[in-house]
Amino acid sequence: MSIKTYFNWSSGKDSALALYYLLQDSNYSINKLVTSVNSHYNRVSMHGLPINLLEAQTNAIGIPLQLIKLPEQPSMQDYEAIMDTTVNTLKAEQFTHAVFGDIFLEDLKRYREDNLLKYNIKTVFPLWKKDTTNLINEFIDLGFKAVIVCANAKYFSEDFVGQTITKELIQNLPKAVDVCGENGEFHTFCYDGPIFKAPIAFSIGEKIYREYNTPKTEDSVCDSGKTGFWFCDLVLK
């Protein structure tokens, strides 16, 4: 009997490839995609993707979607309270495992494991410790397609967002940037590939620059300033 599992869905390429792996594993039954959204802007958190594109994407995949609605700038207390309600609901629905598309961020993996351990929910990381160059090439070779919707302005200009991931683009990334953007350098929207019944039709919209407070680190003694990001709006056709 397969394990009832929910997938923490970002809408991007890493989630898509991780889901592709799990859908081929008869040990798991992926019954729900769970996505955090900014309820003020009605967009996917971090990615800035409009919810109607997210819904079109998950409909094309054919797995039910559950939204985690977060305020614009939630405090850690607010975030943890919302997540507690969400996870308790999923546990009541008999989910026992949760999937994430993380690749090599040890602190983030440990945070996820520790938090879900309190609910006796086990974590699954299909991409963990795999070589990111191999992963992005496999993603492209399998026929997946993804467009860049968000990029850190430290590394990229406005022209970078709105482009589709290709091998040529990956080969020309700045040396300091991970090819999967695993350190948050860029985020994507996956719109076609072997997990989809049909590709998502969209057009490129406005490109916007936004700045956010840079999170403090344990070593910082003062505010770290601002971090800028370019966002590319996508419009569902």
Side-chain angles (χ1 to χ4, degrees):
M1 186 173 180
S2 57
I3 300 165
K4 191 173 183 181
T5 305
Y6 69 91
F7 193 107
N8 293 274
W9 181 254
S10 74
S11 75
K13 57 179 177 45
D14 298 338
S15 276
L17 186 57
L19 180 58
Y20 173 80
Y21 286 171
L22 263 291
L23 290 175
Q24 298 179 85
D25 189 335
S26 60
N27 292 314
Y28 298 95
S29 176
I30 309 298
N31 298 99
K32 187 171 285 190
L33 304 178
V34 179
T35 305
S36 296
V37 299
N38 181 320
S39 59
H40 179 77
Y41 291 106
N42 287 320
R43 292 176 180 267
V44 176
S45 301
M46 289 304 299
H47 290 221
L49 181 77
I51 288 180
N52 65 345
L53 265 294
L54 171 68
E55 291 173 338
Q57 181 192 52
T58 55
N59 286 340
I61 294 170
I63 300 176
L65 171 68
Q66 178 174 325
L67 300 179
I68 303 176
K69 296 183 178 181
L70 300 171
E72 183 178 359
Q73 293 183 328
S75 66
M76 185 54 72
Q77 290 80 7
D78 290 338
Y79 176 80
E80 290 180 349
I82 293 168
M83 293 305 296
D84 178 70
T85 299
T86 300
V87 177
N88 273 317
T89 299
L90 291 164
K91 188 169 178 59
E93 294 172 1
Q94 308 302 313
F95 285 96
T96 60
H97 287 64
V99 185
F100 298 90
D102 302 306
I103 305 171
F104 59 66
L105 298 178
E106 296 278 0
D107 290 349
L108 184 57
K109 181 175 184 283
R110 188 160 52 248
Y111 173 80
R112 301 194 197 286
E113 289 171 334
D114 291 346
N115 276 277
L116 288 175
L117 183 63
K118 296 180 290 187
Y119 304 92
N120 199 31
I121 289 181
K122 296 180 180 179
T123 51
V124 184
F125 296 86
L127 308 185
W128 188 247
K129 291 296 185 181
K130 294 182 181 292
D131 180 85
T132 52
T133 299
N134 291 341
L135 285 175
I136 194 64
N137 282 312
E138 180 181 12
F139 177 85
I140 296 169
D141 290 341
L142 284 167
F144 281 107
K145 294 180 181 178
V147 59
I148 297 160
V149 292
C150 172
N152 190 322
K154 177 181 177 181
Y155 306 105
F156 302 107
S157 66
E158 176 182 358
D159 294 340
F160 185 69
V161 293
Q163 295 190 71
T164 290
I165 293 284
T166 63
K167 291 191 177 183
E168 182 181 6
L169 181 143
I170 292 302
Q171 289 166 1
N172 289 294
L173 291 175
K175 290 184 178 180
V177 171
D178 177 70
V179 293
C180 283
E182 179 68 354
N183 295 303
E185 300 98 329
F186 62 91
H187 299 289
T188 61
F189 168 65
C190 185
Y191 62 89
D192 195 8
I195 62 173
F196 294 92
K197 300 172 187 173
I200 313 305
F202 64 92
S203 58
I204 300 295
E206 185 180 7
K207 296 181 180 181
I208 302 168
Y209 176 79
R210 294 188 183 278
E211 289 186 342
Y212 301 91
N213 292 325
T214 304
K216 292 182 180 181
T217 66
E218 293 180 0
D219 298 328
S220 64
V221 294
C222 59
D223 290 339
S224 302
K226 302 280 188 177
T227 301
F229 291 89
W230 284 104
F231 290 90
C232 177
D233 199 16
L234 303 181
V235 181
L236 182 66
K237 288 185 176 180

